[in-house]
Amino acid sequence: MKKPPATTPVTRRGLARFKGEKASELVPQARLSGPMPWVIAIMIALTVIAAGGGLALNNLAGAARAELAGGATVQIMEADPSERARQAAATVDVLVDIDGVASVRLVPEEELDALLEPWLGVGADNEAVPVPALIDVRMSGPVTEERLDRLKVVLADAAPAARIDAQASWLGPVFEAITSLQWLAIGLVVLLALTSAAAVWLAARSALGSNSETIEIVHLLGGTDSQIARIFQRSIAVDAAVGGAVGLALGLAAIMVMGDRFAALGSGMVAGGGLGWIDWVLIVAIPLVGVLLAMLTARITVLAALRRML
Amino acid sequence: MSGAEGDVVQFDNVGLRYGSGKEVLSDVSFTLYPGSFYFLTGASGAGKTSLLKMLYLAQRPSRGMIRMFGTEIITMPRTRLPGFRRRLGVVFQDFRLVEHLSAFDNVALPLRVSGVPEADLRKPVADMLDWVGLTHRADARPATLSGGEQQRVAIARAVIGRPELLVADEPTGNVDPDMALKLLRLFESLNRLGTTVVVATHDVHLLKKVPDSMIMRLDKGRLSDPTGMLRYPPGRGSVGRRPT
Ligand SMILES: Nc1ncnc2c1ncn2[C@@H]1O[C@H](COP(=O)(O)OP(=O)(O)OP(=O)(O)O)[C@@H](O)[C@H]1O
Ligand SMILES: [Mg+2]
């Protein structure tokens, strides 16, 4: 009989780290073949879309508010065109001299016609349907009731047919609607984030459950708790990162498509609803948080399982 | 029992019960001396695996004292146990091979856990697989191996790091008599290099194949010493090798 092979004593090497490619092979990687990355991908995509929508809505409301806060509109409600033109000119003359008025613009007739065209039809006769003259007033700082009253007093003499309104006041109901939409978006993002966190947590736990045998074997062969936790953390992080990347891509694609659709509406209001760089940073952070959460779950679960062993 | 520093393992009045059941092991006291070869026998259910579990640090006793390599291990902090486990080689009764690793990677696992560089472990692992007759199955997953082949992988994994204490639970239960003998030679050669060996077995024929082995008998959870050699081992004091 042949002599048995020589063996090398390993015990003097101390508790070296077990890491790298060979260590990660201990855990079969599910990647896209398992359910975990897909569950994570879908939850991350939904969270990204809700967050993108919420942030866009927030910017839209903020931009519209800032723009409208300092605005007032003067309408000259006068049927006679020449008298209307006179009062409009007088209004502009009076307003430019008032403190706190940043700019005054008489909206040209063509622009008014264009605005009204959808309602009155092309080439509608101005004489037939009297249209008030519009004067757009921009004030420095928000338009308060007092400032508005002061303008009214001044205008009463110059243009008796003038009626002045703060732009924000017309849009009060719109703002209320937007505010409740914002709350809805915040609620959705919070719910989706919680569900995503739960999905990541459950996926990480189930991935570990199917590897509990391996955990025990490496433990019995002298693997330290942190060695074993690191192996699983890494493996789960890879799965979560794959899922997170796919989810982010899906979510971003949806945001882009929605953005294009809204931009195509050409409405001045939606132009304020774009996403700033800080919004993009927040959105990209969503999958990163997912990966961190998955790693944390893996670590906690593995260490808890190991602590039940001697 | 007063233990000497050089003793590999010392059990003193160890008892074990699972949960709230009755004791499966009672008043177990023995000492394993360096470089000795022990057989642990006893009927099925006598408690052999239970005793070995405490020996390979997978089970805490319900009472009593255990010293290993000169250190009390029951009160030791968990964080120090991996260092002790790396000085052991274990053949589990149910093999415990990692399902998705090849035979080669299973055998290499203890070396990798201990941080042996890849370049240094290829040859020893290949040689060991050759010795247990599995070179042609080196890339096979455990599920595709026969029971005897899995057992040989488990044995190769247990001895690859030349442990100070080898604990084998029914290591020849699934192989033919020729292979059983061959595996026993492997244990003996390891023993000759200084490893203390404990082999649990039902197979009385095996006992006679290792001339200077000592026999521990478990009977319904109690240890008996039929040869008296546990108490008066031959060659006590000649560390690493008993006289033949
Ligand atoms: N995890 C456990 N929980 C509860 N009881 C257990 C457990 N493991 C073993 N036992 C009981 O302890 C006793 C001893 O079992 P053990 O496995 O140590 O026997 P054994 O001598 O190794 O038997 P065999 O030769 O069949 O392997 C048996 O009565 C068994 O039912
Ligand atoms: Mg057993």
Side-chain angles (χ1 to χ4, degrees), chain B residues 48-50 93 169-170:
Chain B
K48 300 184 294 297
T49 299
S50 302
Q93 191 166 12
D169 200 350
E170 301 283 358

Side-chain angles (χ1 to χ4, degrees), chain B residues 129 183 212:
Chain B
L129 280 171
L183 294 175
D212 297 308

Side-chain angles (χ1 to χ4, degrees), chain B residues 53-215:
Chain B
K53 272 189 194 162
M54 291 189 285
L55 213 47
Y56 58 72
L57 304 179
Q59 176 75 51
R60 206 183 282 277
S62 315
R63 61 186 175 88
M65 194 258 339
I66 299 178
R67 287 174 77 85
M68 184 174 276
F69 306 122
T71 313
E72 230 280 69
I73 54 156
I74 292 169
T75 53
M76 185 188 288
R78 278 189 82 246
T79 50
R80 283 190 60 200
L81 289 174
F84 282 78
R85 291 195 181 98
R86 290 181 191 190
R87 300 167 74 173
L88 310 176
V90 186
V91 184
F92 302 97
Q93 191 166 12
D94 49 0
F95 314 146
R96 304 228 180 167
L97 302 176
V98 179
E99 282 302 321
H100 50 270
L101 291 187
S102 66
F104 183 96
D105 287 332
N106 265 288
V107 174
L109 192 53
L111 301 183
R112 287 180 176 146
V113 168
S114 299
V116 176
E118 281 306 298
D120 297 353
L121 60 75
R122 298 248 136 228
K123 189 171 154 44
V125 173
D127 288 351
M128 187 58 67
L129 280 171
D130 183 43
W131 174 259
V132 297
L134 287 175
T135 300
H136 63 296
R137 303 293 278 147
D139 294 327
R141 299 279 174 103
T144 67
L145 297 174
S146 75
E149 286 170 337
Q150 291 181 36
Q151 191 149 44
R152 277 135 68 194
V153 174
I155 290 171
R157 183 181 68 185
V159 302
I160 188 74
R162 200 201 293 170
E164 290 168 62
L165 171 64
L166 177 76
V167 179
D169 200 350
E170 301 283 358
T172 57
N174 291 277
V175 296
D176 59 72
D178 281 351
M179 181 49 80
L181 209 59
K182 193 175 175 188
L183 294 175
L184 211 56
R185 291 283 98 82
L186 182 60
F187 294 157
E188 280 190 272
S189 74
L190 206 64
N191 177 237
R192 228 166 284 128
L193 291 167
T195 297
T196 304
V197 179
V198 181
V199 178
T201 183
H202 286 122
D203 187 352
V204 285
H205 300 293
L206 224 50
L207 308 187
K208 298 174 200 143
K209 305 287 188 196
V210 184
D212 297 308
S213 59
M214 289 175 253
I215 296 167

